[in-house]
Amino acid sequence: MANNVQRVELRSDWQFKQVRQGNWLPAIVPGTVHTDLMANGIIPDPFIGLNERGVQWIDKEDWIYRTAFGVDESIFSKHNVWIEFDGLDTYADVYLNDSLIIKADNMFRRWKADIRQLLKRSDNELKVYFHSPVKVDVPKWDALPYHYEAANDQSENGGLFDKKISIFARKAGYHYGWDWGPRLVTSGIWRKVSLVAWNDVRITDVYTEQPLVSKAKAKIRQTIEIFADADGMAMVQTTDHAGNNYADKKVKLEKGVNTVTLEFCINKPKLWWCNGLGKPNLYTFNVKVQKDDSSDTYTQRTGIRFIKLLTQKDEWGQEFCFELNGVRVFMKGADYIPCDNFLPRVTKSVYEKTIQDAVDVNMNMLRVWGGGIYEDDYFYELCDEKGILIWQDFMFACSLYPASGALLENIRQEAIDNVRRLRNHPCIALWCGNNECQDGWYNWGWKKRLEDQKPEYAEKVWKEYEDLFYHLLPEVVGKYHSAIAYWPSSPFGGYGHGSIETSGDYHYWAVWHAKKPISEYNNTRFRFCSEYGMQSFPEFESVKQFAPQPNDWDIYSDVMMSHQRGGMHANQLIESYLLSEYKRPKDFESLLYVGQLMQGDAMKTAIESHRREKGYCWGTLLWQINDCWPVASWATRDYYGRWKAAHYLMRNSYRDILVSPIEKDGNLQVYIVNDRLTSTSGQLSIKVLDMDGAVRNQHTKQVRVPANVSKNVFSVPVKQLLNHEQTDQVVILAEFTDREHYGNIYYLKPPKDVKFKKSAVVYQMIKVVDGYRLVISADKVARGVFLSLDGTDNFFSDNYFDLIPGAKKQVYVKTDLNEDDFRKQLKITILNNI
């Protein structure tokens, strides 16, 4: 029996206009006002040069979208026809044939309406009226005797002076600006809009719970939500992709929404594992309801796994550790923001590259940050397939919110909607209330500022905080996704105070914001470090995309400052770190290069520090993996998807075996961190090399490292190890070989104090299918070998690496350049020579 439910996406023949103007222009749906204005040549690309400044008028206007459509008989004859909007941004009135059918006020919710009685066979007119979020929310700000904190709302860039109105709208916070993003407050039909038509029965939701999971057996309980037109008997069945029956039940449906439960067992299930620990096995469940001559099928892919958050009190404070299928897992990953300010531009290929880039540097977790969006279904499907666990923030960040009355109920529906949408994804590991809001209250002065105005203001605002993050959100998670833990805030170390290093998760910003040296990472200990970072600019080829004029090639030019949302302070911090850790770069291009190397060194140092503490610390998520526009930021990949030095260096730092040398108290110690679930044995080699590559001292030993631990396997006084060599004239090469080879290069001095020699880096070139294979070598220790070509449509398999004389490095370069052009364009930069 064919499925009787039909879906038709309304993508064609859309037009839009500014309400105050008379001209209708073609529009793309899904889309935004900004992208439609760009496509029609009304505004320039806001990401280029200073163009962002000239488009701030857009969010102060009302906009209207319209389309006309007809339906064929197969739709028109159905008893039920609904229109469903997956995303409306944000204050939107929807009319069909001049009847108001939806009044939307939340970007994060899905909206639907029964349109059967309004529908015509042809010439249906659908209109969506978008109210200016500025005009809707400024009066709310004006009406209050006090104001809610919204630290990153760039109201002044939008011509609103100090009116930080982002907290009133259930809309992506980063649209109002952030310290890495522009202020581009969008409106539009940002996710698809569809007609859904059916007779008799429709499956509206399936929740697949896993109350018991072991290697021997998995118990599965499916809660199936079925909409029925009338009372009657039906058959509900779950099968696999090959049609084999898992469970079936004959049930009596009543008119309206019905809930049916099916339970079954899977013996010796193929468990879902995160990247690095095993295969992310997925099962396909086909759930079918058959009632008389009507049926509907709901297909779901999910993984069988058991994950919990361990937060026991211990002698140090409170641990914070994820356990997957009974195994404690050290989380290696990054924080994730939306990939674009104009969300419909984030294509499947962008998602695929972003997630694959995480997999390719051995990540196993991303934190979906609370100032963006609950991501597209495809994002989570990719994480399911690739074994990337997701720490999912609710959409609240770095602000306080008027969470009472209608807004609180709006948030409740938002939370229910998204928890229900995402709960079947095996990648979901945690629901977190917000990003940094609790630390803002206790540690950033928010509480005191309100108390200084009137104590009752502080009491009211804090009650709203508690109602939202201590009551409403955990209640929603407990009711709709109880198998996954809820965490009130990130960072969070307990109630009644700000975060602390010995309990829960922690955001560490003393390196960067507090100007501590990069080496300070080695003096810190956390239970789980969920944010830390170091800024860098994009590389020169990326900068030329948004700042094409040579007179803009200065980090203090108007264009570069516009693409540095940390302002003068951030640029000065970068310069300060460069001078204290490196040497002054000779020109703009060199500054970009050294800045990237600095960020890479910083992230390498931090990651290794956290991983050496494995057993006390159980996770490291750096800020951040991506950008939403071309900008100087903490991202390890720039807006164009190009890997920065930090992303390349992270690959080795996140491998399943880490060899990590560190000088402590006059001794060189070497740790081996083993993330495998089995022990390993092999040979450890420690070599002291001079800058010509000559071995000045060497130690080898056989070592055994148990499963899933960090172990100090070697320690010797530095003076003894160096054997009269100077600390600024040597490099230490630490290598471990079991079934694979693992290595790490360590310097005893910061780069500015190491006496590198001028070096010649040479290469052999071999043509391969989609580019070239280079075999690279150097006559001296070469620091930070950086390969580049013109443009951003190429990729290097490795970059910003160090070369030891005598060693040969193979790098694959993806490019369509011919051999002559490739040789002319290839540029090799090393720290030694600049």
Side-chain angles (χ1 to χ4, degrees), residues 79-95:
H79 302 157
N80 304 281
V81 184
W82 288 71
I83 191 166
E84 299 185 351
F85 289 85
D86 286 357
L88 289 167
D89 177 14
T90 292
Y91 298 114
D93 301 333
V94 182
Y95 297 85

Side-chain angles (χ1 to χ4, degrees), residues 306-353:
F306 177 69
I307 189 164
K308 64 180 180 179
L309 179 66
L310 306 177
T311 56
Q312 286 80 8
K313 302 281 188 182
D314 58 24
E315 59 186 295
W316 301 288
Q318 182 185 28
E319 72 170 336
F320 189 96
C321 176
F322 289 93
E323 185 180 271
L324 176 64
N325 300 328
V327 175
R328 287 172 172 256
V329 182
F330 190 98
M331 293 301 155
K332 301 177 288 191
D335 300 293
Y336 168 94
I337 67 171
C339 289
D340 204 300
N341 266 81
F342 306 125
L343 289 160
R345 296 204 303 201
V346 185
T347 61
K348 284 191 171 183
S349 62
V350 171
Y351 281 124
E352 288 161 4
K353 175 170 170 47

Side-chain angles (χ1 to χ4, degrees), residues 230-280:
D231 297 354
M233 300 303 294
M235 176 63 72
V236 182
Q237 180 184 37
T238 297
T239 59
D240 66 11
H241 64 284
N244 300 309
N245 191 48
Y246 281 121
D248 56 56
K249 183 188 290 187
K250 197 166 188 179
V251 297
K252 183 179 181 181
L253 299 180
E254 297 179 351
K255 183 177 181 179
V257 178
N258 299 260
T259 299
V260 176
T261 301
L262 291 182
E263 295 184 332
F264 53 92
C265 290
I266 297 177
N267 293 320
K268 296 182 179 179
K270 294 180 179 179
L271 299 181
W272 185 93
W273 290 97
C274 64
N275 186 35
L277 289 187
K279 290 184 179 180

Side-chain angles (χ1 to χ4, degrees), residues 283-295:
Y283 284 77
T284 299
F285 296 126
N286 297 309
V287 182
K288 183 177 181 180
V289 58
Q290 179 80 47
K291 183 176 182 286
D292 301 325
D293 293 331
S294 298
S295 67

Side-chain angles (χ1 to χ4, degrees), residues 342-392:
F342 306 125
L343 289 160
R345 296 204 303 201
V346 185
T347 61
K348 284 191 171 183
S349 62
V350 171
Y351 281 124
E352 288 161 4
K353 175 170 170 47
T354 302
I355 301 305
Q356 191 60 50
D357 284 352
V359 171
D360 288 346
V361 296
N362 304 304
M363 291 187 185
N364 59 16
M365 176 174 270
L366 293 172
R367 178 169 77 102
V368 177
W369 167 79
I373 60 169
Y374 307 92
E375 268 296 344
D376 187 85
D377 291 338
Y378 191 59
F379 171 89
Y380 301 97
E381 291 166 10
L382 288 170
C383 292
D384 292 343
E385 294 170 5
K386 301 292 186 178
I388 298 295
L389 285 160
I390 293 297
W391 167 322
Q392 179 67 53

